[in-house]
Amino acid sequence: MGKSEDLAENRTDWAEDRTLMANERTFASWTGGGMGAIGLALAFKAVFGDFDPPIVARVVAQIPLIAAIVLFWSARRKACHTIARLNERTVEAASTVTLTIITSLMTATAVGAGFILWFV
C-alpha cells in the first residue's frame, strides 16, 4: 500500500469512530428524553394530586410514560441499525445486547412509574 492509501484508510477509520460516537450520543440523548418524560409523568402526579376524578389525572400522566417507552425502543432500534452497518466495516461498537439491557431497564422504570401513579 502506498502512503496515500494509508492516509485514506486512516481517514475512513476516523470517520467510522466519529459515526460510532455520534450513535452513542444519540442513544444517550433519546434515553435522556425518555427519562425526562418519566419525570413529567411523576410531576403530573404532584400537580393533579387532588384532581377529581383521579382516573383522568392518572390517564393523562400515562401519556408521557408511553412516549418514554416509545423513545427508548426507537433509540435502541436506530442504534442497533447503525451498529449493524458499522460492523460490516469491522468497527468495534457497543454490543446490541447492552443496548437491549439498557432499554429494558428504562422500560421497567417507566412501567414502575406507571405503577406508582396508579397505586400510590
Side-chain angles (χ1 to χ4, degrees), residues 82-100:
T82 301
I83 289 170
R85 287 184 49 220
L86 289 173
N87 282 341
E88 294 171 3
R89 297 186 171 272
T90 66
V91 173
E92 291 185 35
S95 166
T96 56
V97 172
T98 302
L99 295 175
T100 302

Side-chain angles (χ1 to χ4, degrees), residues 47-59:
V47 171
F48 296 135
D50 295 330
F51 191 83
D52 194 34
I55 189 81
V56 174
R58 289 181 177 139
V59 169

Side-chain angles (χ1 to χ4, degrees), residues 19-80:
T19 301
L20 179 60
M21 289 185 284
N23 185 49
E24 291 169 351
R25 285 190 305 272
T26 302
F27 179 78
S29 178
W30 282 52
T31 303
M35 293 301 293
I38 292 172
L40 179 62
L42 294 175
F44 282 160
K45 170 77 170 166
V47 171
F48 296 135
D50 295 330
F51 191 83
D52 194 34
I55 189 81
V56 174
R58 289 181 177 139
V59 169
V60 169
Q62 297 305 303
I63 295 169
L65 294 177
I66 293 167
I69 292 170
V70 169
L71 279 169
F72 297 147
W73 287 96
S74 294
R76 182 205 170 274
R77 182 180 58 81
K78 290 179 181 294
C80 288

